[in-house]
Amino acid sequence: MLDTDTKRRIDTARDILVGKVPDPKSQVEQITIALIYKFMDDMDAESEELGGKRKFFTGDYARYGWAKLMAPSLGGHEMLGLYGEGISKMPENPGIPALFRDIFRNAYLPYRDPETLKAFLKIIDEFSYDHSERLGDAFEYLLSVLGSQGDAGQFRTPRHIIDFMVEVLAPQKHETILDPACGTAGFLISAYKHILRKHDPSNPPDPSEPPRKPLTPDEKGSLAKNFKGYDISPDMVRLSLVNLYLHGFTDPHICEYDTLTSEERWNEFADVILANPPFMSPKGGIKPHKRFSIQAKRSEVLFVDYMAEHLTPTGRAGIIVPEGIIFQSQDAYKVLRKMLVENSLVAVVSLPAGVFNPYSGVKTSILILDKSLARQSDTIGFFKVENDGFGLGAQRRAIEKNDLPQVQAELAAYLQALRAKASTETLIFTTGLIVPKEKIAANGDYNLSGERYREGTERETTFPKIALRDLLKLEFGTRITKKDDEGTLFPVYGGGGESFRTDSFTRENDVVISRCPRNA
């Protein structure tokens, strides 16, 4: 839980920077670099107090130590020069681990105002280093200001959506977990917290769960090694490294790597993949290497293909996708959906448009893949979230309506039935339905919109049923415009366009005549 003082400090630091560094991502980077700089000095001071030696600010780098930087006798311009030189030279410091060198790589001070720097570092000085959850949550709050990641179509995934996906996949302590478009490592940290909760004896389990056993020292030591992330942006890699470090990962495995055009890691697989990959493709499309099974230039198609292909034989994945993946008719989309339905897809969770507000109103869904379950199942579950606990407008204020817990419970029941090889016909859903794969494959389109397969129920009525042909005479011909409204019983609406319209009605011998465009 983020405490008030820490939140205030972060907000104040951003307020100080905003006049000189208006871009939120650059603000986060400057605060991140300053915090790590300060924390290295804190760790040196702690080591000295315990009888050890300083290892970060020693030798030629001793002059950059935090205490010297904050000395009252140091003038503003001297502080500016010392700090700017310190962060730029830090990657060459032989006393710091490779993780910190990666964090400081290409770091620089983007402004030259001594008063701004002095006020900024004064706020940073109020932070103190520890590995507690409090500091990790503080950094998560800092990252929440990022929102949109620019032109690549990347959007920060809301925390409650991340946690929902992690709970559905339920990663285990022995499994390798990958996010091939990791951003700030939100999925990896949520998965890590999930595993820790499941092995915390003080956290009472659900009645259906066995007693919780704490992780052994060896398990704790090896757990962090199972988490991997890739990102094409060096800025995102830096933020991921810090985020994981502040959550207890002393050696996080985050790589600057282009998942779609590089081949170096093609032969690496994972038991669990969680991702919200970029939706946008550059002009001219992606130019992937030749090892993809689907020939495409769209980033969302290639990312889903990559993740489906890089699961282990018993692997699982949760992937946020734009609606194009669900129903687009181009060949690459249809081939991808066919491959998913036949090999790995077990469920689709439709999210409401607005989940990514205020940065985008894009409509999205979550694909749930499970290779072992997909092989033994001849159905796919479709679930619909209409409210996620927040208003779908620009402000995203908390509301009472929240379908996520019900969807999670019904999806868990469906997956459990598949694992037990039990009948799913007795399951009662309020948010979803089960569709046979043969029905999805029937027309070769492999459409993954659940509403397409929902059969309507006929309501009882006291009115007699009359065939439409007994009431209407359809005449095809010229489009009808407002001038045709004169003398008719019913008004004319619309006109033009390609959609079906009943544009004008006249009454002749008690028969209604409707004229509509030929291509309706």
Side-chain angles (χ1 to χ4, degrees), residues 376 414 416-425:
Q376 69 185 46
Y414 173 63
Q416 182 56 39
L418 295 185
R419 292 187 186 99
K421 298 182 180 180
S423 172
T424 59
E425 294 181 0

Side-chain angles (χ1 to χ4, degrees), residues 147-160:
S148 173
Q149 301 300 333
D151 296 331
Q154 299 164 293
F155 297 97
R156 176 181 174 270
T157 313
R159 171 58 52 192
H160 62 291

Side-chain angles (χ1 to χ4, degrees), residues 10-25:
I10 291 174
D11 290 339
T12 302
R14 289 190 60 228
D15 289 342
I16 292 169
L17 290 176
V18 72
K20 302 293 181 181
V21 188
D23 176 42
K25 183 161 71 68

